[in-house]
Amino acid sequence: MSKPDIEVLDDGDAYPYSSHISVDGTELQLGYLLLVFDSPDDNGVSFFERVYGFTWPGIITHVVGGPVPAEFHNFEDFAADLDSGKIAVASKREQTSFFVDEDTVRTITLYRYQYQGGLQPIVIDERRDPLENTPFNESITLCEDGEQVIEELLGTSSPQEKQEVEHIREFLRSAGYQLNPISDSDE
């Protein structure tokens, strides 16, 4: 197995000190999402891993909704899994965090997964205690299109407070989604 070409894409001195690298031409940044499939022929995602850092031998990730210990992918295996289709990368498009109430911080992250059939938005919605890093409630939604993203965040998750609705609307606008003016004035 040949060594993959690793390039630093930010001002880090080397990739372990970087937050943005390229592995064989595939960009990776801290916070990006890895979609891990059981096999290259499988269309169903087995689990999602968020990129947390880079070391000399590889990539440190954490399974979303999974156990606390980190996962690790050495660069050679990662490049081979990318090439075979066992792993895919979804870029982080937008993220916001805000207080829902004095005991809960909500973080919404929108990812964009580009594949042969087009683009697929992925929404991760997390709620945690303000003094904790680990969410107590976390959901992942693979959306078909922008309308489903809007429905997921404003319809399905039913924000209760006007302030929460405004945070979500601003998040959607900054992500480039056009909100229906009628729904804008409803809340």
Side-chain angles (χ1 to χ4, degrees), residues 1-3 9 13 20 22 26 28 39 47 50 53 57 69 85 87 91 98 103 107 122 130 133 138 141 148 175:
M1 184 180 305
S2 64
K3 290 231 177 240
L9 300 176
D13 292 334
H20 188 190
S22 169
T26 299
L28 281 176
S39 72
F47 50 92
R50 192 174 284 139
I87 289 181
S91 60
F98 54 88
D103 298 323
T107 300
I122 301 171
N133 287 330
E138 194 169 38
T141 306
Q148 191 177 357

Side-chain angles (χ1 to χ4, degrees), residues 143-157:
C143 301
E144 291 182 22
D145 55 26
E147 287 181 28
Q148 191 177 357
V149 170
I150 294 169
E151 175 61 27
E152 176 65 26
L153 294 175
L154 289 175
T156 308
S157 63

Side-chain angles (χ1 to χ4, degrees), residues 37-153:
F37 303 92
D38 278 333
S39 72
D41 302 326
D42 191 7
N43 288 335
V45 178
S46 297
F47 50 92
F48 299 87
E49 296 179 15
R50 192 174 284 139
V51 175
Y52 270 33
F54 308 108
T55 65
W56 288 112
I59 303 161
I60 300 167
T61 65
H62 185 271
V63 175
V64 177
V68 174
E71 297 291 324
F72 181 79
H73 301 272
N74 71 48
F75 287 120
E76 290 84 4
D77 291 343
F78 176 77
D81 287 345
L82 268 177
D83 194 43
S84 74
K86 190 171 179 189
I87 289 181
V89 177
S91 60
K92 183 164 59 170
R93 182 169 174 187
E94 197 70 37
Q95 183 174 44
T96 190
S97 291
F98 54 88
F99 278 90
V100 173
D101 56 40
E102 64 184 38
D103 298 323
T104 309
V105 172
R106 184 174 180 187
T107 300
I108 303 169
T109 311
L110 177 64
Y111 292 92
R112 182 182 1 203
Y113 169 47
Q114 188 168 355
Y115 63 104
Q116 290 176 333
L119 292 173
Q120 180 172 30
I122 301 171
V123 176
I124 297 183
D125 193 351
E126 303 165 297
R127 294 171 193 260
R128 64 177 173 78
D129 183 282
L131 301 176
E132 298 289 329
N133 287 330
T134 305
F136 59 76
N137 186 351
E138 194 169 38
S139 69
I140 302 171
T141 306
L142 291 105
C143 301
E144 291 182 22
D145 55 26
E147 287 181 28
Q148 191 177 357
V149 170
I150 294 169
E151 175 61 27
E152 176 65 26
L153 294 175

